[in-house]
Every structure is written in C-alpha cells, then in structure tokens.
Amino acid sequence: IQIDAEGHDFEIFDQIDIQKYRPKLIRLEWMNLDDKQKSKILKKFEYYDYFFQIRDGDIISAPKEILNILFKNNL
C-alpha cells in the first residue's frame, strides 16, 4: 500500500484493517504528520508486529514474518 494523499495520509492509513488484509508493504508520508498521528501509526505497527523505518520523509513498514522469510532465504 502506497499512500500519498497530500495531507490526508493518516486518515487513509487509519482506515486500513491491518489484521484482516495484512499488507506486505506499507508506505506513507511521515514528515507532515503531527505527533499524535505519528504515535498512533507506530503503536499500530508495533501491535500488529510490523517492522518500520523512517527514511526520506516517509515511513515504510512490513510484517516481521515476511522479512524473516526474505532474510532466511537469502542466507
């Protein structure tokens, strides 16, 4: 899921049912979010066991089980 909605990224992200759909990759703009929105996003990723990284003004996240498969297959 790539979200780039010119200031409405959080509202869209907040509606995604991560438990139901379990997206393999989520990316949204981070730099324009307020602290409360950032906190909610991080808590949601942590709750659903997603790895995340903030880079170049965006947050990128993937389920830890997907990363474990990728890294295990590349060893």
Side-chain angles (χ1 to χ4, degrees):
I1 296 174
Q2 167 75 39
I3 304 171
D4 186 1
E6 304 306 320
H8 300 283
D9 298 55
F10 177 77
E11 289 78 9
I12 294 168
F13 171 81
D14 200 39
Q15 296 178 50
I16 298 169
D17 187 339
I18 289 180
Q19 183 176 10
K20 181 177 180 180
Y21 297 107
R22 199 72 180 162
K24 293 183 178 45
L25 185 66
I26 301 172
R27 182 177 181 170
L28 64 137
E29 195 170 78
W30 182 255
M31 65 183 172
N32 292 325
L33 300 174
D34 65 38
D35 290 341
K36 187 175 179 181
Q37 292 170 331
K38 289 177 180 179
S39 177
K40 286 183 177 183
I41 289 170
L42 296 179
K43 285 178 185 175
K44 192 170 186 176
F45 284 150
E46 289 170 356
Y47 182 81
Y48 289 108
D49 207 24
Y50 272 64
F51 169 82
F52 55 87
Q53 184 175 41
I54 300 164
R55 177 181 281 180
D56 300 326
D58 290 341
I59 185 166
I60 302 167
S61 184
K64 289 180 182 176
E65 70 269 11
I66 297 296
L67 296 176
N68 288 335
I69 291 168
L70 290 172
F71 289 125
K72 188 180 288 188
N73 289 339
N74 287 324
L75 293 177

